[in-house]
Amino acid sequence: MPKMKTNRGAAKRFRATGSGRIRRSKAFSSHILTKKSTKRKRNLRKTTLIADVDQRAVRRMLPYM
């Protein structure tokens, strides 16, 4: 059986936590930042967990995570 390929785009966007959940970074933080409040921009820097409905799809793209 050959090795499974990792989706390289997904590998750059997601990381596993210590307990095995999947972390992602938030969107809307790269440009047009002048109209966003400082509080909003600060909260966009944090990572968050992916939704439960997306777990299966992301794990399929990242077989060795």
Side-chain angles (χ1 to χ4, degrees):
M1 190 77 182
K3 294 179 186 175
M4 293 176 70
K5 284 202 169 182
T6 296
N7 182 308
R8 298 312 295 162
K12 295 167 189 173
R13 287 171 171 82
F14 302 109
R15 284 189 198 161
T17 62
S19 62
R21 307 277 314 266
I22 301 173
R23 273 190 335 200
R24 67 170 176 86
S25 55
K26 294 182 180 174
F28 306 109
S29 62
S30 60
H31 63 106
I32 315 177
L33 297 172
T34 51
K35 65 175 77 169
K36 295 171 188 161
S37 68
T38 308
K39 180 180 178 180
R40 182 174 166 193
K41 289 185 281 190
R42 184 170 61 244
N43 285 325
L44 288 171
R45 288 199 294 258
K46 300 173 184 174
T47 59
T48 184
L49 297 173
I50 64 169
D52 291 335
V53 294
D54 298 324
Q55 291 267 356
R56 186 164 159 254
V58 174
R59 289 205 184 276
R60 181 174 278 174
M61 289 188 275
L62 304 170
Y64 300 107
M65 181 178 269

